[in-house]
């Protein structure tokens, strides 16, 4: 079976590429490298000892995308490509909607043209907005507080409409909680440009001495230590969920949504303290005001994925910290 991976040079996509190759899939990668580096794919080839076609193209370029479908045999698509920085999406909504929505519209129309009707889509727990309770299951009300989140919500709706229009589609919408960690080898990992938006890459950059201190965004949330609680999930567990989703689509028509999380919430201070303990690094931090738009608590009820996909996360917070640190300490400049 041959899988097209959009955004395959990125953080999660590159880990999915490794997992697919190790499980005997043929793959084709497309990425415009707008938020990634070709070096990630070179390292994937080294790690797996396998080669695969890579097209440096933009999903917005329909002609180029059609050429890929012409050149290659494709049975299904894993669609990771998208812009993901919440703050930037507030500043540049048009850019985000155009890239994420139009990119998906072009991709799905080309898929239809070439009779490829199986897709696994990267959605996000951000579509639950500020949930009224936890753990969050897939039936919770959906909302968005920024253009990035709204683009995910809109793409979910578009995919459901596509299925309504043609019941032979098979669609898995995967709502990720907070992916961290890296491949065990330390050869691939998250490679943020500029100041990291997310907590784990910020912590690892403090550990390596690139930044002085972690700023904890608020300690007055209604949580056990006052700091924000999230469901951190190891990126390798996350991509294993994608393979299970792909297998599910082989056997089931329809559109189905799954939470991919561990079901366990950890606070900002839990993450800092765990990282300190596991890596023996000092992680100075200072508490500042809340980050606008942040919510207090977010963690998954992952029962549906366990029941229907036979998937559950296996790696604990300690392993997530270890692997994030191995990646950062062995690649202080990322892929540069
Ligand atoms: P990433 O930025 O590392 O990877 C995305 C890749 O898509 C990049 O390599 C980028 O160059 C590529 N890309 C973007 N727009 C493109 C376009 N128009 N044409 C071709 N390539 C394009 O991000 P990631 O963390 O690997 O996230 C992958 C997906 O998962 C994204 O859709 C993201 O929104 C979603 N997601 C991520 C997180 C997270 O915390 N990392 C959480 C929830 C959902
Ligand atoms: N935080 C800090 N300091 C930092 C960065 C984050 O205290 O420097 C806190 C946040 O306030 C939050 C927690 O750490 O309580 C996690 O923050 P992240 O930025 O790592 O993650 P978010 O939960 O805010 O958002 C992430 C992605 C979103 C995605 C969401 C759900 O950035 O795109 O997970 O999947 F939608």
């Amino acid at each position: 079976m041959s899988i097209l991976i959009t955004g395959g040079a990125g953080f999660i996509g590159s880990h999915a590429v490794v997992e697919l190759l190790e499980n005997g899939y043929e793959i084709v990668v497309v990425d415009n490298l707008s938020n990634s580096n070709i070096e990630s794919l070179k390292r994937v080839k080294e790690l797996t000892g396998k080669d695969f076609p890579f097209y440096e193209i933009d999903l917005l370029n329909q002609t180029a995308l059609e050429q890929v479908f012409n050149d290659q045999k494709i049975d299904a698509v894993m669609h990771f490509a998208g812009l993901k920085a919440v703050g930037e999406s507030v500043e540049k909504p048009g850019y985000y909607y155009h890239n994420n929505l139009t990119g998906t519209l072009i991709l799905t129309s080309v898929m239809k043209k070439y009779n490829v009707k199986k897709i696994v889509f990267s959605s996000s727990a951000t579509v639950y907005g500020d949930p009224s309770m936890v753990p969050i299951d897939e039936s919770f009300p959906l909302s968005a507080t920024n253009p990035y989140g709204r683009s995910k919500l809109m793409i979910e709706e578009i995919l459901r409409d596509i299925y309504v229009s043609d019941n032979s589609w098979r669609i898995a919408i995967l709502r990720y909680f907070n992916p961290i960690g890296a491949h065990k080898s330390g050869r691939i990992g998250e490679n943020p440009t500029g100041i990291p938006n997310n907590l784990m890459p910020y912590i690892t950059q403090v550990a390596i001495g690139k930044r002085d201190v972690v700023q904890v965004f608020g300690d007055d949330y209604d949580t056990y230590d006052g700091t924000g609680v999230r469901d951190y999930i190891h990126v390798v567990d996350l991509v294993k969920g994608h393979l299970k989703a792909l297998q599910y689509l082989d056997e089931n028509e329809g559109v189905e949504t799954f939470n991919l999380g561990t079901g366990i919430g950890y606070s900002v201070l839990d993450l800092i303290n765990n990282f300190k303990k596991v890596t023996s690094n000092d992680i100075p931090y200072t508490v500042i005001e809340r980050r606008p738009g942040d919510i207090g608590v977010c963690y998954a009820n992952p029962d549906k994925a366990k029941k229907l996909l036979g998937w559950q996360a296996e790696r604990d917070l300690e392993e997530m910290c270890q692997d994030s640190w191995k990646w950062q300490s062995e690649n202080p400049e990322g892929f540069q």
Side-chain angles (χ1 to χ4, degrees), residues 6-14 30-37 57-60 79-84 99-100 103 121-126 148 152 174-179 190-191 198:
T6 75
F11 170 42
I12 303 168
S14 58
V30 306
D31 199 302
N32 65 0
L33 303 181
S34 60
N35 194 39
S36 51
N37 192 307
I57 61 161
D58 197 308
L59 287 185
L60 299 173
H79 180 30
F80 295 97
L83 298 168
K84 63 165 185 176
N99 191 78
N100 293 0
F121 170 63
S122 306
S123 188
S124 165
T126 194
Y148 165 69
K152 292 292 179 193
L174 305 183
R175 294 183 180 145
Y176 308 165
F177 282 70
N178 288 59
E190 191 170 5
N191 185 35
N198 298 117

Short mmCIF file of all heavy atoms in Angstrom, two decimals, residues 6-14 30-37 57-60 79-84 99-100 103 121-126 148 152 174-179 190-191 198, ligand 1:
data_model
loop_
_atom_site.label_atom_id
_atom_site.label_comp_id
_atom_site.label_asym_id
_atom_site.label_seq_id
_atom_site.Cartn_x
_atom_site.Cartn_y
_atom_site.Cartn_z
N THR A 6 1.49 14.42 3.24
CA THR A 6 1.68 15.86 3.06
C THR A 6 2.29 16.40 4.35
O THR A 6 1.93 15.96 5.44
CB THR A 6 0.35 16.60 2.78
OG1 THR A 6 -0.40 16.69 4.01
CG2 THR A 6 -0.48 15.90 1.71
N GLY A 7 3.24 17.31 4.22
CA GLY A 7 3.90 17.84 5.43
C GLY A 7 4.83 16.81 6.06
O GLY A 7 5.11 16.87 7.25
N GLY A 8 5.34 15.90 5.25
CA GLY A 8 6.14 14.79 5.77
C GLY A 8 7.53 15.17 6.25
O GLY A 8 8.20 14.37 6.90
N ALA A 9 7.97 16.41 5.95
CA ALA A 9 9.29 16.84 6.45
C ALA A 9 9.17 17.46 7.84
O ALA A 9 10.18 17.73 8.49
CB ALA A 9 9.92 17.84 5.48
N GLY A 10 7.94 17.70 8.30
CA GLY A 10 7.73 18.39 9.57
C GLY A 10 7.90 17.46 10.77
O GLY A 10 8.28 16.29 10.64
N PHE A 11 7.63 18.02 11.94
CA PHE A 11 7.85 17.30 13.21
C PHE A 11 7.08 15.97 13.24
O PHE A 11 7.68 14.89 13.33
CB PHE A 11 7.42 18.22 14.36
CG PHE A 11 7.34 17.58 15.72
CD1 PHE A 11 8.32 16.69 16.16
CD2 PHE A 11 6.29 17.89 16.59
CE1 PHE A 11 8.26 16.13 17.44
CE2 PHE A 11 6.22 17.32 17.85
CZ PHE A 11 7.19 16.44 18.28
N ILE A 12 5.78 16.03 13.14
CA ILE A 12 4.99 14.81 13.28
C ILE A 12 5.08 13.97 12.00
O ILE A 12 5.23 12.74 12.05
CB ILE A 12 3.53 15.15 13.65
CG1 ILE A 12 3.49 15.98 14.94
CG2 ILE A 12 2.70 13.87 13.82
CD1 ILE A 12 2.15 16.62 15.27
N GLY A 13 5.03 14.65 10.85
CA GLY A 13 5.08 13.94 9.57
C GLY A 13 6.34 13.10 9.43
O GLY A 13 6.28 11.95 8.96
N SER A 14 7.50 13.63 9.85
CA SER A 14 8.75 12.86 9.68
C SER A 14 8.73 11.61 10.56
O SER A 14 9.23 10.55 10.16
CB SER A 14 9.97 13.73 10.00
OG SER A 14 9.90 14.23 11.32
N VAL A 30 5.16 14.95 0.13
CA VAL A 30 5.16 16.31 -0.42
C VAL A 30 5.26 17.30 0.74
O VAL A 30 4.64 17.09 1.79
CB VAL A 30 3.92 16.65 -1.31
CG1 VAL A 30 3.73 15.64 -2.41
CG2 VAL A 30 2.67 16.79 -0.50
N ASP A 31 6.05 18.34 0.53
CA ASP A 31 6.21 19.38 1.55
C ASP A 31 6.79 20.59 0.84
O ASP A 31 7.65 20.44 -0.03
CB ASP A 31 7.16 18.89 2.67
CG ASP A 31 7.01 19.70 3.96
OD1 ASP A 31 7.19 20.92 3.90
OD2 ASP A 31 6.72 19.10 5.00
N ASN A 32 6.34 21.78 1.22
CA ASN A 32 6.95 22.98 0.60
C ASN A 32 8.11 23.51 1.45
O ASN A 32 8.67 24.55 1.13
CB ASN A 32 5.89 24.08 0.38
CG ASN A 32 5.31 24.60 1.68
OD1 ASN A 32 5.68 24.16 2.76
ND2 ASN A 32 4.38 25.55 1.56
N LEU A 33 8.43 22.82 2.53
CA LEU A 33 9.54 23.17 3.43
C LEU A 33 9.38 24.56 4.05
O LEU A 33 10.36 25.19 4.45
CB LEU A 33 10.90 23.03 2.72
CG LEU A 33 11.19 21.65 2.13
CD1 LEU A 33 12.59 21.63 1.47
CD2 LEU A 33 11.13 20.53 3.17
N SER A 34 8.13 25.06 4.12
CA SER A 34 7.92 26.39 4.69
C SER A 34 8.20 26.40 6.19
O SER A 34 8.53 27.43 6.75
CB SER A 34 6.49 26.87 4.44
OG SER A 34 5.55 25.98 5.02
N ASN A 35 8.06 25.23 6.84
CA ASN A 35 8.36 25.18 8.28
C ASN A 35 9.17 23.92 8.61
O ASN A 35 8.99 23.32 9.66
CB ASN A 35 7.05 25.20 9.09
CG ASN A 35 7.30 25.50 10.56
OD1 ASN A 35 8.14 26.33 10.90
ND2 ASN A 35 6.60 24.81 11.44
N SER A 36 10.03 23.55 7.68
CA SER A 36 10.83 22.34 7.92
C SER A 36 12.08 22.38 7.07
O SER A 36 12.30 23.32 6.30
CB SER A 36 9.99 21.09 7.59
OG SER A 36 9.42 21.22 6.31
N ASN A 37 12.88 21.33 7.22
CA ASN A 37 14.19 21.30 6.59
C ASN A 37 14.35 19.94 5.91
O ASN A 37 14.04 18.91 6.52
CB ASN A 37 15.24 21.49 7.70
CG ASN A 37 16.61 21.76 7.16
OD1 ASN A 37 17.10 20.99 6.33
ND2 ASN A 37 17.24 22.81 7.64
N ILE A 57 6.86 20.65 -3.12
CA ILE A 57 5.79 21.44 -3.76
C ILE A 57 4.83 21.96 -2.70
O ILE A 57 4.76 21.45 -1.58
CB ILE A 57 5.00 20.62 -4.81
CG1 ILE A 57 4.32 19.43 -4.15
CG2 ILE A 57 5.85 20.22 -5.98
CD1 ILE A 57 3.20 18.87 -5.00
N ASP A 58 4.09 22.97 -3.11
CA ASP A 58 3.08 23.57 -2.26
C ASP A 58 1.72 22.95 -2.61
O ASP A 58 1.41 22.79 -3.80
CB ASP A 58 3.07 25.09 -2.55
CG ASP A 58 2.37 25.86 -1.45
OD1 ASP A 58 1.23 25.50 -1.10
OD2 ASP A 58 2.99 26.82 -0.94
N LEU A 59 0.95 22.63 -1.59
CA LEU A 59 -0.39 22.06 -1.88
C LEU A 59 -1.26 23.04 -2.65
O LEU A 59 -2.24 22.65 -3.28
CB LEU A 59 -1.11 21.72 -0.56
CG LEU A 59 -0.62 20.50 0.20
CD1 LEU A 59 -1.53 20.24 1.39
CD2 LEU A 59 -0.56 19.27 -0.69
N LEU A 60 -0.91 24.32 -2.58
CA LEU A 60 -1.70 25.31 -3.30
C LEU A 60 -1.45 25.25 -4.80
O LEU A 60 -2.20 25.84 -5.58
CB LEU A 60 -1.38 26.72 -2.77
CG LEU A 60 -1.70 26.93 -1.28
CD1 LEU A 60 -1.20 28.29 -0.81
CD2 LEU A 60 -3.19 26.81 -1.02
N HIS A 79 -2.60 13.61 5.91
CA HIS A 79 -2.53 15.05 5.62
C HIS A 79 -2.08 15.84 6.85
O HIS A 79 -2.89 16.27 7.66
CB HIS A 79 -3.90 15.50 5.12
CG HIS A 79 -3.98 16.95 4.79
ND1 HIS A 79 -2.91 17.68 4.32
CD2 HIS A 79 -5.03 17.81 4.83
CE1 HIS A 79 -3.30 18.94 4.13
NE2 HIS A 79 -4.57 19.05 4.43
N PHE A 80 -0.74 16.03 6.92
CA PHE A 80 -0.15 16.79 8.03
C PHE A 80 0.09 18.26 7.65
O PHE A 80 0.26 19.10 8.53
CB PHE A 80 1.21 16.21 8.43
CG PHE A 80 1.16 14.81 8.98
CD1 PHE A 80 1.41 13.71 8.17
CD2 PHE A 80 0.86 14.60 10.31
CE1 PHE A 80 1.37 12.42 8.68
CE2 PHE A 80 0.82 13.31 10.83
CZ PHE A 80 1.07 12.22 10.02
N ALA A 81 0.19 18.54 6.36
CA ALA A 81 0.64 19.88 5.94
C ALA A 81 -0.32 20.96 6.43
O ALA A 81 -1.52 20.88 6.22
CB ALA A 81 0.76 19.95 4.42
N GLY A 82 0.25 21.96 7.08
CA GLY A 82 -0.57 23.07 7.54
C GLY A 82 0.30 24.00 8.37
O GLY A 82 1.37 23.61 8.83
N LEU A 83 -0.18 25.22 8.52
CA LEU A 83 0.50 26.18 9.40
C LEU A 83 -0.13 26.03 10.78
O LEU A 83 -1.34 25.81 10.89
CB LEU A 83 0.32 27.60 8.87
CG LEU A 83 0.91 27.85 7.47
CD1 LEU A 83 0.44 29.19 6.91
CD2 LEU A 83 2.44 27.82 7.55
N LYS A 84 0.69 26.19 11.85
CA LYS A 84 0.18 25.78 13.16
C LYS A 84 0.44 26.77 14.31
O LYS A 84 0.15 26.45 15.45
CB LYS A 84 0.76 24.43 13.52
CG LYS A 84 2.27 24.44 13.66
CD LYS A 84 2.81 23.20 14.35
CE LYS A 84 4.30 23.32 14.55
NZ LYS A 84 4.91 22.24 15.29
N ASN A 99 -3.75 28.93 3.31
CA ASN A 99 -2.85 27.77 3.31
C ASN A 99 -3.59 26.50 3.78
O ASN A 99 -3.55 25.47 3.11
CB ASN A 99 -1.65 28.03 4.23
CG ASN A 99 -0.57 26.97 4.06
OD1 ASN A 99 0.20 26.99 3.11
ND2 ASN A 99 -0.53 26.03 4.97
N ASN A 100 -4.23 26.58 4.93
CA ASN A 100 -4.79 25.35 5.52
C ASN A 100 -6.06 24.91 4.82
O ASN A 100 -6.23 23.72 4.53
CB ASN A 100 -5.05 25.56 7.02
CG ASN A 100 -3.74 25.73 7.81
OD1 ASN A 100 -2.65 25.70 7.23
ND2 ASN A 100 -3.84 25.92 9.11
N GLY A 103 -5.41 24.66 0.77
CA GLY A 103 -4.53 23.50 0.57
C GLY A 103 -5.31 22.20 0.68
O GLY A 103 -5.14 21.28 -0.14
N PHE A 121 -6.56 12.84 8.70
CA PHE A 121 -6.33 14.28 8.82
C PHE A 121 -5.87 14.67 10.23
O PHE A 121 -6.43 14.22 11.23
CB PHE A 121 -7.61 15.05 8.46
CG PHE A 121 -7.52 16.52 8.79
CD1 PHE A 121 -6.58 17.32 8.15
CD2 PHE A 121 -8.34 17.10 9.75
CE1 PHE A 121 -6.45 18.67 8.46
CE2 PHE A 121 -8.23 18.44 10.07
CZ PHE A 121 -7.28 19.23 9.43
N SER A 122 -4.87 15.57 10.28
CA SER A 122 -4.34 16.08 11.55
C SER A 122 -5.20 17.21 12.07
O SER A 122 -5.03 18.37 11.68
CB SER A 122 -2.95 16.68 11.33
OG SER A 122 -2.08 15.77 10.72
N SER A 123 -6.11 16.89 12.98
CA SER A 123 -6.84 17.96 13.66
C SER A 123 -6.21 18.17 15.02
O SER A 123 -5.10 17.68 15.28
CB SER A 123 -8.33 17.65 13.73
OG SER A 123 -9.02 18.79 14.22
N SER A 124 -6.90 18.88 15.89
CA SER A 124 -6.27 19.30 17.13
C SER A 124 -7.30 19.40 18.24
O SER A 124 -8.47 19.72 17.99
CB SER A 124 -5.64 20.67 16.88
OG SER A 124 -5.32 21.28 18.10
N ALA A 125 -6.84 19.19 19.47
CA ALA A 125 -7.72 19.37 20.63
C ALA A 125 -8.18 20.82 20.75
O ALA A 125 -9.11 21.11 21.49
CB ALA A 125 -6.98 18.96 21.89
N THR A 126 -7.55 21.71 20.02
CA THR A 126 -7.96 23.12 20.04
C THR A 126 -9.41 23.28 19.58
O THR A 126 -10.07 24.26 19.94
CB THR A 126 -6.99 23.97 19.21
OG1 THR A 126 -7.21 25.34 19.51
CG2 THR A 126 -7.15 23.77 17.73
N TYR A 148 -6.24 29.75 13.58
CA TYR A 148 -5.65 28.40 13.43
C TYR A 148 -6.69 27.35 13.82
O TYR A 148 -6.97 26.41 13.05
CB TYR A 148 -4.40 28.25 14.31
CG TYR A 148 -3.97 26.81 14.46
CD1 TYR A 148 -3.45 26.10 13.39
CD2 TYR A 148 -4.14 26.13 15.68
CE1 TYR A 148 -3.09 24.75 13.52
CE2 TYR A 148 -3.78 24.79 15.82
CZ TYR A 148 -3.26 24.11 14.74
OH TYR A 148 -2.92 22.79 14.88
N LYS A 152 -8.90 24.39 11.54
CA LYS A 152 -9.04 22.95 11.81
C LYS A 152 -10.51 22.56 11.86
O LYS A 152 -10.93 21.55 11.29
CB LYS A 152 -8.36 22.58 13.13
CG LYS A 152 -6.85 22.70 13.10
CD LYS A 152 -6.22 21.65 12.19
CE LYS A 152 -4.71 21.76 12.12
NZ LYS A 152 -4.12 20.98 11.03
N LEU A 174 -8.14 12.98 13.26
CA LEU A 174 -7.44 12.70 14.51
C LEU A 174 -7.19 14.00 15.26
O LEU A 174 -6.54 14.92 14.73
CB LEU A 174 -6.11 11.98 14.22
CG LEU A 174 -6.24 10.71 13.37
CD1 LEU A 174 -4.87 10.04 13.20
CD2 LEU A 174 -7.24 9.72 13.99
N ARG A 175 -7.73 14.09 16.46
CA ARG A 175 -7.54 15.32 17.27
C ARG A 175 -6.40 15.07 18.24
O ARG A 175 -6.54 14.34 19.21
CB ARG A 175 -8.84 15.64 18.01
CG ARG A 175 -9.96 16.02 17.05
CD ARG A 175 -11.22 16.41 17.81
NE ARG A 175 -12.28 16.76 16.86
CZ ARG A 175 -13.57 16.51 17.07
NH1 ARG A 175 -13.97 15.93 18.20
NH2 ARG A 175 -14.48 16.84 16.17
N TYR A 176 -5.27 15.73 17.92
CA TYR A 176 -4.08 15.54 18.76
C TYR A 176 -4.19 16.39 20.00
O TYR A 176 -4.57 17.55 19.93
CB TYR A 176 -2.80 16.02 18.05
CG TYR A 176 -2.53 15.51 16.67
CD1 TYR A 176 -1.57 16.16 15.89
CD2 TYR A 176 -3.17 14.39 16.14
CE1 TYR A 176 -1.26 15.72 14.62
CE2 TYR A 176 -2.86 13.95 14.86
CZ TYR A 176 -1.91 14.61 14.11
OH TYR A 176 -1.60 14.19 12.84
N PHE A 177 -3.70 15.85 21.11
CA PHE A 177 -3.53 16.67 22.30
C PHE A 177 -2.13 17.31 22.21
O PHE A 177 -1.86 17.97 21.22
CB PHE A 177 -3.90 15.87 23.55
CG PHE A 177 -5.42 15.84 23.66
CD1 PHE A 177 -6.17 15.10 22.74
CD2 PHE A 177 -6.10 16.63 24.56
CE1 PHE A 177 -7.58 15.15 22.75
CE2 PHE A 177 -7.50 16.67 24.58
CZ PHE A 177 -8.23 15.93 23.68
N ASN A 178 -1.22 17.15 23.13
CA ASN A 178 0.02 17.94 23.04
C ASN A 178 1.23 17.04 22.72
O ASN A 178 1.83 16.49 23.64
CB ASN A 178 0.26 18.69 24.35
CG ASN A 178 -0.70 19.85 24.52
OD1 ASN A 178 -1.91 19.65 24.53
ND2 ASN A 178 -0.19 21.05 24.62
N PRO A 179 1.58 16.92 21.44
CA PRO A 179 2.69 16.04 21.07
C PRO A 179 4.05 16.61 21.48
O PRO A 179 4.35 17.78 21.19
CB PRO A 179 2.61 15.94 19.54
CG PRO A 179 1.46 16.80 19.12
CD PRO A 179 0.96 17.56 20.28
N GLU A 190 11.48 17.94 17.00
CA GLU A 190 10.81 19.21 16.72
C GLU A 190 11.86 20.30 16.53
O GLU A 190 12.79 20.41 17.32
CB GLU A 190 9.90 19.55 17.90
CG GLU A 190 8.96 20.69 17.64
CD GLU A 190 7.90 20.85 18.72
OE1 GLU A 190 7.95 20.12 19.74
OE2 GLU A 190 7.02 21.71 18.53
N ASN A 191 11.67 21.12 15.50
CA ASN A 191 12.71 22.06 15.10
C ASN A 191 12.11 23.45 14.91
O ASN A 191 12.03 23.96 13.80
CB ASN A 191 13.31 21.53 13.78
CG ASN A 191 14.48 22.34 13.29
OD1 ASN A 191 15.27 22.83 14.08
ND2 ASN A 191 14.58 22.47 11.97
N ASN A 198 5.73 26.66 22.10
CA ASN A 198 5.25 25.58 22.94
C ASN A 198 6.18 25.30 24.11
O ASN A 198 7.38 25.59 24.06
CB ASN A 198 5.05 24.30 22.11
CG ASN A 198 4.00 24.51 21.02
OD1 ASN A 198 4.30 24.44 19.84
ND2 ASN A 198 2.79 24.82 21.42
P1 LIG B 1 5.24 21.19 11.24
O1 LIG B 1 5.15 22.63 10.93
O2 LIG B 1 6.50 20.65 11.80
O3 LIG B 1 4.87 20.32 9.94
C1 LIG B 1 3.94 20.77 8.97
C2 LIG B 1 4.62 20.62 7.62
O4 LIG B 1 3.71 21.06 6.60
C3 LIG B 1 5.88 21.47 7.50
O5 LIG B 1 6.94 20.65 7.07
C4 LIG B 1 5.52 22.53 6.44
O6 LIG B 1 6.63 22.89 5.67
C5 LIG B 1 4.45 21.81 5.63
N1 LIG B 1 3.47 22.68 4.95
C6 LIG B 1 2.75 23.69 5.49
N2 LIG B 1 1.96 24.23 4.54
C7 LIG B 1 2.19 23.55 3.38
C8 LIG B 1 1.68 23.65 2.05
N3 LIG B 1 0.78 24.58 1.72
N4 LIG B 1 2.15 22.80 1.11
C9 LIG B 1 3.08 21.85 1.44
N5 LIG B 1 3.60 21.72 2.67
C10 LIG B 1 3.15 22.55 3.65
O7 LIG B 1 4.00 20.83 12.22
P2 LIG B 1 3.70 19.50 13.02
O8 LIG B 1 3.85 19.81 14.46
O9 LIG B 1 4.41 18.37 12.43
O10 LIG B 1 2.13 19.40 12.74
C11 LIG B 1 1.61 18.59 11.71
C12 LIG B 1 0.10 18.78 11.68
O11 LIG B 1 -0.46 18.47 12.95
C13 LIG B 1 -0.33 20.21 11.37
O12 LIG B 1 -1.46 20.17 10.54
C14 LIG B 1 -0.70 20.75 12.74
O13 LIG B 1 -1.66 21.79 12.65
C15 LIG B 1 -1.26 19.52 13.42
N6 LIG B 1 -1.18 19.59 14.88
C16 LIG B 1 0.03 19.80 15.48
C17 LIG B 1 0.11 19.91 16.86
C18 LIG B 1 1.42 20.18 17.55
O14 LIG B 1 1.41 20.57 18.71
N7 LIG B 1 2.56 19.96 16.91
C19 LIG B 1 -1.05 19.77 17.64
C20 LIG B 1 -2.26 19.53 17.00
C21 LIG B 1 -2.31 19.45 15.62
#
